C-alpha cells in the first residue's frame, strides 16, 4: 500500500551496486501507523564545541559521535553535515588508526605553507602562524558531508573525522552539525 | 499535538551542545494550521552569475546574499549548497575582514603551483595560467555547503564566502545555489 | 490550488538569476493526484564500486552516471552526494575533455607531496606512496555535492567527476551515492 521500499532492492542491478534505501513520503499513513513515523523526513541541527587542541591533526570521531549518536540513530538514510565556524582550523576525513599519519600530515602542512620571517605574508599582526592557518583552512576545508546509513555514519573501515588545528594558541572550536534524512 | 519541537530543547544535553532545531513533518496539520506551513520541507534552486573578477580571491558574501537572502529567510533550519560551474576558479570560506588575507592567499596559490616556461605542464594551449588554474580549482574546490539557521547562513563571526579567480582573463562565473530545509 | 510553483518563476529577479525550482510539499494532494507524486521528497542511496585504476586522475562521470542515471532521472530538483570510502584516493571535479589536464594534475600532486627516501614521513610501513596518498586525499577531499536539475547533474560544460587514485597498487574503490530531492 505504501509507496515505500525502504531498505529493499528496487530493481535488478549489477553485482557492483547495493541499494541501501529508496523512499517516498508515505503521505496520510504516518500518524495512523506509528511504526512508519521514523520514515518521515527529519532535520536536526546542533552546535558542538570541541575543547582546545594543540596545533596538529586530531581524530575526533568518537567525541563527535558521543554528542550526536543518539539523534543519528533515528535516521535510516540521510546525510550528516559538519561545518566548522572558524578560518584557522579545518575538518577533513582521513586515516583513523595510526597517529603517525596525523603527525605526518601536520608536517606536510607546515612545510607546504611558509611560516616565519622569510614568509611573504602581509597579514602578520596576529602572529606568524595566523596567515598560514588561513591558507591551510582553505586547503583542507571547513565543511564535510557524510552519508548516514542505518543510523550510523557510513564511512570506510579506515576513515575518521579529523579536526586540524592550525594555530599555536589553543581555543575551543565550534562545529554546526546538521542531520537530514528519513 | 504536533510532532514538532522546532527551536526547542529536545532532551537534556551537556552545556556544550545547543539544539537548534528538530523536526518531523506535521502530516495532516499543515494546511489546517497556516502558521505551521513554513515548517514543510522546501527546495529552492537558482543560478547566480557573478560579474568578471580579476585574478585573486574575492569576498562575495554580500553579493550572494543580495541574490538569495529573501528566499533564505523562509528557512528556519536547513542547508545552502553552492556549486561553481567552472574548472579554473574555486569557492572557499575564509576570513571576511582583512583584504590582506585574500591577497596573501593568492600569493600562496601562485607560489605552490608552478607557472610559466619552467612549469612541467602538457596542457598549455590556453595560456600559462590555464593549467595552474585547474589545479587550484581542485585544491580549494568548487562546492560548499553551509548550514542555514533562522533564515541566515550560520557561519562564524569571521567567515565569508570567497570566489577565487585563477585565470588572468576575466569572465563571468556561474554559481548554482540550492536551498533545502524547513 | 497547490502550494507548488515547480519550475516556475516565483518573482521578478534581475536577468542574472534564473529560478530553477521552488517547492513546498503538496500535503494531502499527492495520493489523490498521481501526476504530483514525483514532487514528493525522495531519498535514494547506493554504493557503487569502481574497478581498480592506475595511479593518477581518472574521468569517471560516465561510469557513475551509468549506475545512477535512471534513479536520478526521477529528481526534478535536488542534490547528489558522492562519498569515497577511502583515505588514499580522492574525488574532485575538474576538466572533462583533455586528458593532459589529468596527467598534469597527477604531476602536480607528486611534486607537491614529497615521496621516497628523502621524504620526512614516519608512516612508511605500507610503502613510499602510502603517506603521500593520505595527504593528497585530504587536499582534494573524499566528498562532493552536485546539484540535480531536471533529472541530471547540473555541472558546467567542461566539468567532470574525477576519481584520483593516489596509490601505486590498484584496488577497487567504493563510492556511497546519496540522492535527495523532489
Amino acid at each position: 500500500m505504501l509507496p515505500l521500499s525502504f531498505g529493499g532492492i528496487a530493481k535488478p542491478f549489477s553485482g557492483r551496486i547495493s541499494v541501501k534505501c529508496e523512499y517516498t513520503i508515505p503521505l496520510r499513513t504516518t500518524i495512523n501507523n506509528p511504526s512508519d513515523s521514523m520514515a518521515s523526513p527529519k532535520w536536526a541541527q546542533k552546535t558542538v564545541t570541541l575543547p582546545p587542541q594543540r596545533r596538529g591533526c586530531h581524530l575526533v570521531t568518537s567525541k563527535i559521535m558521543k554528542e550526536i549518536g543518539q539523534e543519528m540513530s533515528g535516521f535510516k538514510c540521510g546525510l550528516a553535515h559538519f561545518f566548522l565556524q572558524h578560518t584557522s582550523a579545518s575538518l577533513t576525513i582521513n586515516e583513523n588508526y595510526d597517529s603517525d599519519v596525523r603527525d605526518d600530515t601536520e608536517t606536510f602542512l607546515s612545510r607546504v605553507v611558509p611560516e616565519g620571517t622569510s614568509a611573504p605574508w602581509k597579514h602578520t599582526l596576529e602572529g606568524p602562524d595566523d596567515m598560514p592557518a588561513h591558507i591551510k583552512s582553505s586547503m583542507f576545508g571547513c565543511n564535510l558531508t557524510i552519508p548516514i546509513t542505518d543510523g550510523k555514519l557510513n564511512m570506510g573501515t579506515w576513515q575518521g573525522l579529523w579536526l586540524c588545528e592550525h594555530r599555536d594558541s589553543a581555543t575551543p572550536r565550534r562545529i554546526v552539525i546538521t542531520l537530514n534524512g528519513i
Side-chain angles (χ1 to χ4, degrees), chain A:
Chain A
M1 196 177 96
L2 297 180
L4 177 70
S5 62
F6 192 87
I9 303 299
K11 59 184 78 73
F13 289 109
S14 79
R16 291 192 287 132
I17 307 177
S18 59
V19 178
K20 289 290 188 178
C21 63
E22 186 162 332
Y23 176 77
T24 303
I25 294 182
L27 280 172
R28 296 185 175 222
T29 64
T30 299
I31 287 175
N32 290 337
N33 188 348
S35 68
D36 291 323
S37 63
M38 70 170 191
S40 295
K42 290 180 289 191
W43 285 85
Q45 191 175 76
K46 290 182 179 185
T47 300
V48 171
T49 302
L50 296 181
Q53 314 265 354
R54 63 173 172 76
R55 176 167 163 168
C57 300
H58 304 275
L59 186 62
V60 296
T61 317
S62 59
K63 283 183 187 173
I64 293 289
M65 288 311 296
K66 192 176 170 186
E67 306 284 17
I68 64 168
Q70 190 172 351
E71 288 74 19
M72 193 178 292
S73 67
F75 290 80
K76 292 293 286 179
C77 174
L79 292 170
H81 177 255
F82 300 85
F83 186 82
L84 183 68
Q85 290 187 311
H86 305 273
T87 62
S88 55
S90 51
L91 284 179
T92 194
I93 288 169
N94 217 310
E95 213 256 7
N96 63 12
Y97 184 73
D98 182 0
S99 66
D100 283 351
V101 176
R102 303 193 287 279
D103 291 345
D104 286 346
T105 302
E106 167 61 19
T107 298
F108 167 75
L109 288 169
S110 292
R111 287 192 172 211
V112 78
V113 185
E115 189 169 332
T117 53
S118 63
W121 318 131
K122 297 192 285 181
H123 179 79
T124 56
L125 267 181
E126 299 169 60
D129 63 322
D130 185 37
M131 190 57 225
H134 289 308
I135 291 168
K136 293 165 189 172
S137 178
S138 279
M139 283 182 72
F140 276 16
C142 68
N143 70 118
L144 285 174
T145 307
I146 303 177
I148 302 171
T149 308
D150 293 333
K152 294 177 183 169
L153 291 178
N154 191 356
M155 294 195 284
T157 307
W158 303 106
Q159 287 182 310
L161 187 56
W162 290 12
L163 172 71
C164 302
E165 173 59 60
H166 303 309
R167 296 302 306 267
D168 291 321
S169 56
T171 52
R173 297 300 195 175
R174 290 185 312 281
I175 301 174
V176 179
I177 304 175
T178 306
L179 309 180
N180 176 27
I182 53 178

